[in-house]
Amino acid sequence: MTASTSVRTRFAPSPTGYLHIGGARTALFAWAYARRHGGQFILRIEDTDIERSTPQAVQAILDGMRWLGLTHDEGPFYQTQRMARYREVIAQMLAAGTAYHCYTSKEELDALRAEQEARKEKPRYDGRWRPEPGKVLPPPPAGVAPVVRFRNPTAGVVAWDDQVKGRIEISNAELDDFVIARADGTPTYNFCVVVDDWDMGITHVIRGDDHVNNTPRQINVLAALGAAVPAYAHLSMILGDDGQKLSKRRNSVAVTDYDERGYLPEAMLNYLARLGWSHGDDEIFSLEQFVQWFDLDHITASAAQFNTEKLDWLNAHYIKSADDGRLAGEVASRLARRGIDPEAGPPLERAVALYKDRATNLNELADAIEPLIVFVHPSPELLATHLTDAARAALKTLRERFAAAADWQKIVLGPAIKETCTAHGLKMPQVAIPLRVALLGQPQSPAIDAVVEVLGRERVLERLDRVL
């Protein structure tokens, strides 16, 4: 690259499922690198797998990107809408002799593979339809639609300085003439990717290391086209909490799942940024800071391990520091999905401010606030344990004090509770816990005077009347 070259990165998911954690990290790193260098971030949907690609999966990817806030500068481009361009390039390659028609049948390929495996050789196409000087090819069989194969170099090596893994060299002798267009004319993945990266001027390909084996083939096709070769950065895999590779069957790895489970996008972004990348000992940082710091040099080549406890810790931090109005909106939507009217209780912003320091995720926050809205009658066990005769007598006195309170604020309510404890010869827990049980149906809550203040006079008196 020269100083005048604009950085252009891309995220190119296949819409055969949701946006998973690994893909989200790839998108984040590609997005951040473009932002760091004032470049462009392109979104490309690689939907040539017609049987497995679905509109629902495309939407899930777009929803996941939107939730994370990873906005693209160009796209989304769809490979299925670029078929004419792929056919054009294939025709040019056939004319140039860098590709050729192959009429080998599936049965012939299966037999070839069996023979090679019997000799303990690596299965590979033997080039039987590859044109060579002095080689006489048989006439094309009638009624057989050929595939198109790339004419891979037979000598030398393919080498690149991977931005994460370092120098990688692959002998061309290890690569066969792979198919770039199927018999029905549809182009294959490795070919489409090359044409797309070429046409879109991609300068840096940041992707998972499951694509390392594709890279030498793609570099050779780029060379055959006379196209510039981008820089490659292959990110290590992500292991789950159990130390095994993240699996759709065993792990909740869809980005939208984490939205449903009550995680904030900034917590997820912060956590994804630290999966295989570091900036000293910094653990908590904003997306803006991440963009300023991000580079490819500090991406580790070893596998990263997902740690749900650490994500929970980060999420709790971001919930504590989040705007109460925003959290109130998140809680309101969650309560509404449960069939609870969020307007039927005390102001949600006040409730959120009271409980957010105790929540690990938004669902827990909604769980905690729900009893402020919907009265939960204490269970017989809780009543028997906590509402003793002494406690009931104290709560009746406290109810009278609450009803007569000139002002409904903690500065008045707190002393009323303490004075009731003194008058009945009880310690604070002997009154506060029964009061929690009576008001919320549970023995734990934030400071009881703050809970009473947020609930409001009418609800407090009504709930005490129901229990006493």
Side-chain angles (χ1 to χ4, degrees):
M1 290 181 58
T2 65
S4 61
T5 303
S6 174
V7 167
R8 291 175 63 84
T9 66
R10 46 78 158 180
F11 177 53
S14 297
T16 56
Y18 46 71
L19 176 62
H20 56 80
I21 289 297
R25 183 189 63 169
T26 298
L28 172 61
F29 283 12
W31 176 89
Y33 193 78
R35 293 289 177 267
R36 170 73 175 80
H37 294 280
Q40 291 79 43
F41 174 63
I42 291 87
L43 177 61
R44 189 168 76 217
I45 305 297
E46 298 186 339
D47 56 347
T48 54
D49 188 342
I50 304 299
E51 292 184 0
R52 298 176 61 211
S53 298
T54 66
Q56 293 80 10
V58 171
Q59 192 58 51
I61 291 169
L62 297 177
D63 290 344
M65 295 285 285
R66 188 178 301 110
W67 180 67
L68 290 170
L70 300 180
T71 54
H72 49 275
D73 302 299
E74 298 176 19
F77 299 107
Y78 296 86
Q79 288 185 330
T80 50
Q81 298 174 7
R82 289 175 46 79
M83 291 298 170
R85 171 58 175 160
Y86 302 140
R87 287 193 291 269
E88 176 188 24
V89 176
I90 287 173
Q92 292 171 356
M93 294 178 70
L94 286 169
T98 55
Y100 61 92
H101 288 117
C102 172
Y103 295 86
T104 310
S105 67
K106 180 180 183 302
E107 291 74 20
E108 290 175 316
L109 289 174
D110 289 343
L112 174 63
R113 173 182 289 271
E115 292 170 6
Q116 291 171 332
E117 289 177 346
R119 296 192 298 266
K120 297 184 178 180
E121 297 174 357
K122 178 181 178 181
R124 61 198 310 275
Y125 174 66
D126 60 1
R128 61 184 64 181
W129 284 94
R130 177 181 172 122
E132 298 288 5
K135 180 179 179 180
V136 179
L137 297 174
V144 176
V147 301
V148 178
R149 289 185 181 271
F150 171 63
R151 186 170 178 168
N152 196 77
T154 56
V157 298
V158 188
W160 74 95
D161 293 312
D162 197 276
Q163 303 295 296
V164 174
K165 295 181 174 296
R167 183 75 172 177
I168 298 178
E169 296 185 359
I170 306 292
S171 171
N172 276 315
E174 295 293 314
L175 307 173
D176 60 3
D177 292 355
F178 68 96
V179 175
I180 61 174
R182 303 176 183 89
D184 64 0
T186 58
T188 60
Y189 168 79
N190 272 317
F191 176 74
C192 295
V193 168
V194 167
V195 177
D196 291 342
D197 286 344
W198 180 30
D199 285 354
M200 297 174 190
I202 302 302
T203 61
H204 293 76
V205 174
I206 301 171
R207 59 188 180 186
D209 64 3
D210 53 329
H211 289 284
V212 168
N213 290 337
N214 294 325
T215 305
R217 293 178 170 84
Q218 294 172 11
I219 289 176
N220 279 342
V221 175
L222 286 165
L225 293 171
V229 177
Y232 291 95
H234 288 95
L235 310 177
S236 62
M237 71 174 65
I238 301 174
L239 305 178
D241 290 286
D242 56 3
Q244 299 183 48
K245 185 177 180 180
L246 280 181
S247 165
K248 294 180 182 179
R249 295 180 180 177
R250 296 193 316 274
N251 311 98
S252 177
V253 293
V255 167
T256 48
D257 283 352
Y258 287 92
D259 181 17
E260 291 296 320
R261 288 165 56 188
Y263 290 87
L264 291 173
E266 57 265 42
M268 178 57 70
L269 287 167
N270 193 157
Y271 186 71
L272 290 175
R274 290 287 286 113
L275 277 179
W277 175 88
S278 63
H279 183 268
D281 295 326
D282 292 295
E283 293 285 350
I284 298 176
F285 42 81
S286 67
L287 192 58
E288 292 73 22
Q289 288 175 310
F290 175 57
V291 169
Q292 292 174 8
W293 294 339
F294 183 71
D295 57 27
L296 302 176
D297 296 336
H298 290 86
I299 298 175
T300 179
S302 57
Q305 183 155 1
F306 198 90
N307 185 320
T308 301
E309 288 186 4
K310 194 164 189 178
L311 174 60
D312 288 344
W313 172 76
L314 270 174
N315 201 50
H317 164 81
Y318 280 102
I319 287 176
K320 289 178 184 177
S321 57
D323 175 74
D324 292 342
R326 175 193 174 193
L327 292 179
E330 292 282 358
V331 168
S333 65
R334 283 165 167 76
L335 291 172
R337 289 199 292 271
R338 302 177 188 181
I340 297 171
D341 179 7
E343 301 292 328
L348 274 187
E349 286 194 35
R350 294 187 65 193
V352 160
L354 181 59
Y355 278 91
K356 68 178 185 178
D357 286 358
R358 304 161 68 93
T360 300
N361 60 65
L362 297 172
N363 293 337
E364 286 183 3
L365 188 56
D367 291 342
I369 291 174
E370 184 176 330
L372 297 179
I373 302 171
V374 179
F375 174 66
V376 179
H377 199 284
S379 67
E381 293 78 14
L382 283 176
L383 289 174
T385 301
H386 298 290
L387 267 75
T388 62
D389 291 342
R392 285 180 180 274
L395 292 186
K396 288 178 180 179
T397 299
L398 187 56
R399 190 220 179 275
E400 295 175 1
R401 289 178 177 272
F402 284 162
D407 196 0
W408 198 261
Q409 294 184 24
K410 285 193 300 181
I411 195 171
V412 173
L413 302 171
I417 298 171
K418 290 178 182 178
E419 291 166 7
T420 299
C421 292
T422 302
H424 286 262
L426 299 173
K427 295 180 179 179
M428 177 60 77
Q430 292 175 297
V431 174
I433 294 177
L435 182 56
R436 289 185 174 96
V437 169
L439 298 179
L440 305 173
Q442 57 193 31
Q444 292 90 27
S445 79
I448 189 59
D449 55 350
V451 171
V452 170
E453 180 186 45
V454 169
L455 267 174
R457 189 193 307 264
E458 290 184 8
R459 290 186 190 85
V460 168
L461 298 181
E462 178 191 359
R463 292 184 180 193
L464 284 174
D465 289 342
R466 287 195 188 191
V467 173
L468 296 178

